[in-house]
Amino acid sequence: MAAIAGGVIGSLLTAAALTFAMPTFLSSKIVRRGLLADPNILNETVDALRGLQYAPILAGNRAAIETPFGSSWKGSSKPDVTLVEFFDYACPYCKASNPTVDRLLQEDKGLRVVYRELPILGPDSVAAARLSLEASRLGRFAQFHDTMWATGRPAPDTNAKAAQAAGIAPEPQQDPVIEEELKRNFQLAGQLGATGTPVFVIGNTVLNGAVGYDTLKQEIAKVRAKG
């Protein structure tokens, strides 16, 4: 196994070397022809190296990443694949991704989506995240989550509407358990190289941004194929 792993890593490093430093070994014309013939070579090499970079972090934090806080999840209670989304209610890319995630959940009965609050866009985002986690502790995450997306950007009035739908107070309380959850999410996102929101984690893959239905579906299929 060590030899195989070494061979795989060696192949990836060789691919990276050929991609970024090939002029040292081959003519620039050959490099250019290769990339023009198949531009995916560069993307695939970068993705593979990124996977190697984050695999140890994910392996060491798998339970912390994939275990939901309270009821902050949707989908299968006994999933064969778990997709994790770090999100901010004020993020337009998260809002745009929400129908995509809902579609995947509707189509795939073996999928679970775990939602992790990452409020990076101001005080109203933080307030919405705190309220969402309070609803989650009471088993009412979905009510808050769905109403928040339907109502609009976080603000005192929209936060209050979502809180009402979840049957909680409109003003977030200072709760050490919730504050610890937010702190943990920021730490995990930082370790995973988050550049904003959303951040999706599936298997050993970390995806920054609104990557779309096809990409998420493809990554789900890859994880399922590996068993």
Side-chain angles (χ1 to χ4, degrees), residues 111-148:
L111 175 67
R112 171 187 283 186
V113 176
V114 172
Y115 300 89
R116 308 219 79 94
E117 311 278 347
L118 193 68
I120 60 175
L121 296 175
D124 287 334
S125 287
V126 175
R130 286 173 173 154
L131 288 169
S132 180
L133 291 171
E134 177 60 27
S136 179
R137 289 181 67 182
L138 298 172
R140 304 169 195 163
F141 170 79
Q143 292 91 322
F144 184 93
H145 187 76
D146 294 344
T147 303
M148 192 73 239

Side-chain angles (χ1 to χ4, degrees), residues 2-12:
I4 295 173
V8 171
I9 294 172
S11 297
L12 290 169

Side-chain angles (χ1 to χ4, degrees), residues 125-214:
S125 287
V126 175
R130 286 173 173 154
L131 288 169
S132 180
L133 291 171
E134 177 60 27
S136 179
R137 289 181 67 182
L138 298 172
R140 304 169 195 163
F141 170 79
Q143 292 91 322
F144 184 93
H145 187 76
D146 294 344
T147 303
M148 192 73 239
W149 285 130
T151 304
R153 284 178 60 88
D157 59 333
T158 53
N159 289 358
K161 288 179 182 177
Q164 183 179 23
I168 61 174
E171 294 293 333
Q173 306 300 311
Q174 286 290 332
D175 186 315
V177 175
I178 287 175
E179 298 308 308
E180 182 61 28
E181 170 67 9
L182 291 173
K183 178 182 177 182
R184 185 184 303 110
N185 288 348
F186 274 97
Q187 290 173 338
L188 289 170
Q191 288 179 284
L192 296 173
T195 57
T197 52
V199 177
F200 294 99
V201 180
I202 179 166
N204 287 332
T205 300
V206 179
L207 301 166
N208 278 280
V211 295
Y213 172 84
D214 290 339

Side-chain angles (χ1 to χ4, degrees), residues 87-103:
F87 74 100
D88 184 327
Y89 283 114
C91 167
Y93 303 105
C94 300
K95 186 178 180 69
S97 296
N98 195 56
T100 295
V101 173
D102 284 346
R103 178 183 172 187

